[in-house]
Amino acid sequence: MSSPLKVGAVVITMGNRPDDLRALIDSVAKQEGDPVEVVVVGQGTPVTGVPEGVRTVDLPENIGIPAGRNVGIEAFGPGGTDVDVLLFLDDDGLLAHADTAELVRQAFTADPRLGIISFRIADPETGATQRRHVPRLRASDPMRSSRVTTFLGGANAVRTKVFAEVGALPGEFFYAHEETDLAWRALDADWMIDYRSDMVLLHPTTAPSRHASYHFNVARNRVWLARRNLPAPLVPVYLGVWLLLTLARRPSLSALKAWFGGFREGWTTPCGPRRPMRWRTVWRLTRLGRPPVV
C-alpha cells in the first residue's frame, strides 16, 4: 500500500489576532492521521506565541496575501514539494472537525486529477455560510458539494503538483482574485477543483469591503485577471459584464471612484505574463456552470 499523502499548512498573519492564531494552530494539531506541519508567515511582524514545532517566517513588511502565501509554499521546499498537499487557512479561522486532513488525503488519493479543494466557511456562532463563500453561481445551498471553477483563498487545500505545473499565486495582485487566477491556470492544465461542504473552517462573518483597498483592488485585479488568462475576444466581454454588474449594485460615490481608479490602473500597468486559456477550457468552465464572462 502507498503511504498516506503528506500534508502541510500555511497561515499568514499580521500579528493582530494572536489568540485566534493559537486556536487555529491547535485545531490543526488535533487533526487525525499523520501530523500536519504548520508554517506561519508574519506580514511585517515577528511571529510570537506559537507552539513549539510550528515554523515561522518573519517578513519585514506586508507583501500582500498571495505573495505571503507564496513565501509559505516555499518554506516547504521549492514549490512546496516537501509535502503532497498544502492547506491554506485564515489566521482567524478554526478547523471545525478533527477529520478534515484525513478527508483531504482521501479525496486527493481517490482522484489523481483533483488539484484543489475549497472548504465551506461557516460562522462559529450561527453556523451560516455566506453566499459569497460558495464558489459557484448557484450558491443557494451551501451544503451541496460540487465541482467548481474557483476556490476560497483562506480555506482550501492544494495539491503541490499544481504549483509545479502552473506556477504559484500571482503575488502582484496583493489582495483579490488571486484564487481565480490560479484556478483558471489549473483548469487549463486539466486539473479539477471541488467544493466540499463537509470540510469546514469556522470563521466570523465579515464583509470583504472591510479592506481599505477593496474596491480599487477588485477592479484592477479583475482587469489583470482577464488580460493574463482570457482569449482576446473574451476580455472586453468579461470586463463589460462586470462593469454593468458593478453599476447595478449602486455602490457609493467613493467606492465607485476607487473602482474606476483600479479599473484604469488594470489597463495601464503590467499584469504579468499572458497565457490565454484554451477554448476547450472556456467550454469546460461553461459546462461547470460558470463561463468566463461572469
Side-chain angles (χ1 to χ4, degrees):
M1 294 181 62
S2 60
S3 58
L5 298 180
K6 189 173 182 180
V7 179
V10 173
V11 182
I12 59 174
T13 184
M14 296 182 67
N16 54 347
R17 296 188 280 245
D19 293 340
D20 291 337
L21 174 61
R22 182 63 184 253
L24 169 66
I25 294 172
D26 288 345
S27 75
V28 175
K30 293 175 183 175
Q31 292 299 299
E32 299 166 0
D34 291 345
V36 178
E37 184 179 357
V38 179
V39 167
V40 180
V41 179
Q43 295 267 44
T45 183
V47 180
T48 60
V50 296
E52 185 178 353
V54 172
R55 289 194 288 152
T56 63
V57 180
D58 296 337
L59 301 177
E61 61 182 344
N62 180 2
I63 61 174
I65 292 172
R69 287 183 176 141
N70 287 343
V71 169
I73 293 169
E74 293 302 310
F76 286 95
T81 49
D82 289 349
V83 294
D84 302 297
V85 177
L86 281 173
L87 311 181
F88 295 88
L89 307 170
D90 276 351
D91 68 341
D92 55 345
L94 187 75
L95 288 175
H97 309 300
D99 64 349
T100 301
E102 278 294 275
L103 289 174
V104 165
R105 291 186 183 97
Q106 292 169 14
F108 283 123
T109 300
D111 186 350
R113 293 312 301 172
L114 179 61
I116 302 172
I117 300 173
S118 189
F119 298 171
R120 181 167 65 89
I121 294 180
D123 184 271
E125 299 294 330
T126 66
T129 296
Q130 291 180 271
R131 187 180 182 88
R132 70 184 182 90
H133 284 153
V134 183
R136 59 178 179 244
L137 290 179
R138 296 180 179 178
S140 59
D141 182 9
M143 300 307 294
R144 179 173 66 88
S145 299
S146 69
R147 284 264 146 99
V148 289
T149 62
T150 188
F151 64 99
L152 307 173
N156 67 79
V158 181
R159 195 190 295 267
T160 53
K161 287 182 180 179
V162 173
F163 298 125
E165 188 167 345
V166 307
L169 293 157
E172 60 268 39
F173 279 37
F174 197 85
Y175 163 77
H177 302 318
E178 65 270 11
E179 303 92 356
T180 300
D181 187 88
L182 177 62
W184 283 0
R185 286 182 280 130
L187 288 164
D188 197 48
D190 295 324
W191 292 101
M192 299 290 187
I193 305 172
D194 280 355
Y195 166 72
R196 289 283 297 264
S197 64
D198 57 337
M199 302 179 189
V200 182
L201 185 82
L202 300 177
H203 187 283
T205 298
T206 57
S209 54
R210 71 191 185 277
H211 297 285
S213 60
Y214 171 76
H215 296 287
F216 181 92
N217 280 27
V218 160
R220 181 198 64 188
N221 293 0
R222 198 176 290 285
V223 177
W224 281 353
L225 177 69
R227 290 174 59 198
R228 286 163 59 97
N229 295 287
L230 290 181
L234 292 186
V235 173
V237 179
Y238 176 80
L239 295 176
V241 167
W242 277 102
L243 171 61
L244 293 175
L245 287 173
T246 299
L247 294 174
R249 291 168 179 169
R250 304 179 68 179
S252 67
L253 185 60
S254 61
L256 196 59
K257 183 177 179 181
W259 193 93
F260 274 108
F263 193 80
R264 181 173 56 251
E265 182 160 315
W267 284 108
T268 59
T269 56
C271 64
R274 173 166 166 75
R275 299 186 182 96
M277 67 177 66
R278 298 166 294 173
W279 285 103
R280 186 175 75 180
T281 304
V282 173
W283 175 236
R284 187 172 168 208
L285 288 162
T286 303
R287 287 190 292 112
L288 286 169
R290 188 149 199 165
V293 294
V294 65

